[in-house]
Amino acid sequence: MAEHYQNYVDGTWTETLTGETVETVNPASPSETVGQYQQSSAEDANEAVEAASAASDEWASTPAPERGAILRQTAANLDDRKQELTELLTREEGKTHAEAGGEVQRAIDIFYYYAEKTRDMGGTVKSASAERTNLYTKNVPVGVAALITPWNYPIAIPAWKIAPALAAGNTLVLNPASIAPGVAVAIFEALDDAGLPDGVANIVTGPGSEVGDAIISHDDVDAVSFTGSGQVGHMVYDAATADGKRVQTELGGKNPTVVSASADVEKAAAIVAAGAFGVTGQACTACSRAIVHESVYDEFVEAVTERAASIEIGPGDQYEMGPQVSESELDGTLEYIDVGKNEGATLTTGGGQPDGDRFDDGYFVEPTVFTDVGRDFRIAQEEIFGPVLAVTEVNDFDEAVAVANDVEYGLSASIVTQDHTEAERFLTESEAGVVKVNAKTTGLELHVPFGGFKQSSSETWREQGDAGLDFYTIEKTIYDNF
């Protein structure tokens, strides 16, 4: 029997006012129901915001180390349930056990990290021009934060929004994606068990078009943090900024890896394959394009095709690559594969759904490699969000950088090279918020800023590390004349 989950509002687990629920399924076996969640309304969302607003002053005045103690205990609570949450994430989102376990551990680490940051939440002391004057700054919380999170990292992304918001003294309401909200609900179970005061953090499940819109537009909300599609993100940004709210959005990507003439080709193929096909390509930082120097192009194509073809597909508890999260995501990927064929790209491996008993019901697709991809092809320009790699040949380094930058996105980029000058130039010239040398485009450290350029971000505030705290605080300058 599927687990029944409730909203968490004002310190109480509660049913939605609509009385309606929605079920999630296992994408590897869609006939299996995983969880039953509240199909909440705008009225439910408004109650959650009002609870957060009522709790705001008391939480803001709570000493930061005391807030940190609750975050620390939350991390410990999640750690105690790591195996359980790993299995839930795999069943609900489709990641492999290794990928899901890594994501759960990241959420644990994020709460531990921000728990320690609360010890250093003071401002800075400056020298005053006048005598008998203390001149210093103090960071104060923004207020009530509305958090909207996607399904592809259903515990890590909520964690890296929730933890800094609470550490800085804000209260919040989270609306997670309806496809895989179970592990996000678990964060609130951990917070509740850690002794979080009533109303400080609230979660309301249900459609973003209703619940998300309600919390974003509520007058008591001071800040909005959104991660998701570009189309929705731009609407969120416009609506929130029109109301004078502080906003950060992290959106899509079309991330390149440049393979230079000096690259170790086998190493380059391994790096690109890991970035392209890990988490079934369902990452905003996934490698979607390989831009390869003509001198190593044929060798690279052979190597990356062989790696893609060798990946074992199946349910995430047993295989190397799991399913896509839903039928609509699978259909979208298959449509782009047809687009690539029609554009004249060469399909070297994959391109369809795998055959076999274990694939009968699930949303599985083969790791796919297209070669001979023109820089203006749709599969080289548009985000696919599936395990599809477009390989483009270039004549020199300058052309490689130009092709890498010739998209509307700018989230993550990497280069594989043994030429230090090329590496340094790429770090400088790449139009991306995250740039790597001899590494895959996916994978982020939690203590440094994360965000994109161009259409990948609002280019306002970064997430994670100290930057994550910056978004949730306002600096006050104090002149204390004694």
Side-chain angles (χ1 to χ4, degrees), residues 16 65 102 115 119 159 168 217 261 300 303 308 331 346 366-367 422:
T16 175
R119 300 181 187 275
S217 61
F300 173 82
D331 289 345
T346 301
E366 297 167 326
E422 284 184 346

Side-chain angles (χ1 to χ4, degrees), residues 28 30 354-362 364:
D355 295 323
D357 292 343
R358 70 175 181 267
F359 308 118
D360 286 347
D361 298 324
F364 295 99

Side-chain angles (χ1 to χ4, degrees), residues 105-442:
Q105 185 60 56
R106 182 178 184 83
I108 294 166
D109 292 343
I110 287 167
F111 274 97
Y112 275 129
Y113 172 79
Y114 283 109
E116 297 311 310
K117 294 297 288 184
T118 59
R119 300 181 187 275
D120 299 312
M121 300 263 327
T124 57
V125 177
K126 301 293 184 179
S127 296
S129 299
E131 295 181 356
R132 295 184 296 279
T133 299
N134 293 325
L135 180 61
Y136 60 97
T137 65
K138 181 179 181 180
N139 293 323
V140 298
V142 175
V144 178
L147 313 180
I148 315 293
T149 56
W151 52 260
N152 62 322
Y153 284 92
I155 191 167
I157 293 178
W160 79 50
K161 295 181 188 293
I162 293 168
L166 295 179
N170 300 271
T171 58
L172 61 91
V173 179
L174 172 71
N175 176 220
S178 296
I179 294 179
V183 285
V185 173
I187 292 177
F188 288 79
E189 293 171 345
L191 286 165
D192 186 52
D193 291 343
L196 187 74
D198 295 349
V200 171
N202 308 269
I203 182 170
V204 181
T205 58
S209 58
E210 186 167 359
V211 175
D213 284 355
I215 62 174
I216 288 167
S217 61
H218 199 291
D219 288 343
D220 288 345
V221 166
D222 303 290
V224 176
S225 180
F226 172 90
T227 300
S229 71
Q231 180 181 6
V232 177
H234 293 309
M235 291 189 293
V236 168
Y237 182 83
D238 289 344
T241 53
D243 290 339
K245 295 177 171 64
R246 179 178 290 206
V247 188
Q248 65 177 184
T249 63
E250 295 302 336
L251 311 173
K254 193 66 181 174
N255 311 296
T257 295
V258 170
V259 181
S260 81
S262 66
D264 179 319
V265 172
E266 286 296 330
K267 180 178 180 180
I271 288 171
V272 169
F277 308 124
V279 296
T280 320
Q282 298 178 132
C284 55
T285 55
C287 177
S288 187
R289 300 178 291 148
I291 301 165
V292 186
H293 192 275
E294 61 182 4
S295 65
V296 295
Y297 182 81
D298 291 340
E299 185 182 357
F300 173 82
V301 167
E302 181 179 357
V304 79
T305 298
E306 182 179 339
R307 285 184 176 273
S310 70
I311 294 172
E312 293 188 349
I313 313 166
D317 58 351
Q318 301 176 58
Y319 293 92
E320 290 179 81
M321 192 182 90
Q324 297 222 247
V325 74
S326 68
E327 186 174 14
S328 63
E329 289 295 328
L330 172 63
D331 289 345
T333 297
L334 294 174
E335 287 176 12
Y336 269 111
I337 289 172
D338 287 339
V339 167
K341 293 175 182 176
N342 294 333
E343 287 181 309
T346 301
L347 180 66
T348 67
T349 190
Q353 296 178 261
D355 295 323
D357 292 343
R358 70 175 181 267
F359 308 118
D360 286 347
D361 298 324
Y363 305 130
F364 295 99
V365 63
E366 297 167 326
T368 298
V369 177
F370 279 108
T371 61
D372 305 314
V373 177
R375 63 191 289 181
D376 59 343
F377 284 14
R378 286 182 60 194
I379 60 169
Q381 290 289 323
E382 299 174 12
E383 186 176 41
I384 297 174
F385 229 64
V388 179
L389 176 69
V391 186
T392 299
E393 183 177 4
V394 292
N395 297 321
D396 55 34
F397 175 79
D398 288 332
E399 184 184 4
V401 174
V403 172
N405 290 336
D406 187 24
V407 291
E408 64 179 9
Y409 299 103
L411 187 55
S412 182
S414 72
I415 185 171
V416 185
T417 182
Q418 297 184 62
D419 185 320
H420 187 69
T421 299
E422 284 184 346
E424 288 297 316
R425 281 192 58 193
F426 189 75
L427 292 173
T428 300
E429 298 174 27
S430 175
E431 296 172 357
V434 176
V435 190
K436 301 182 178 183
V437 176
N438 296 325
K440 62 183 180 178
T441 55
T442 52

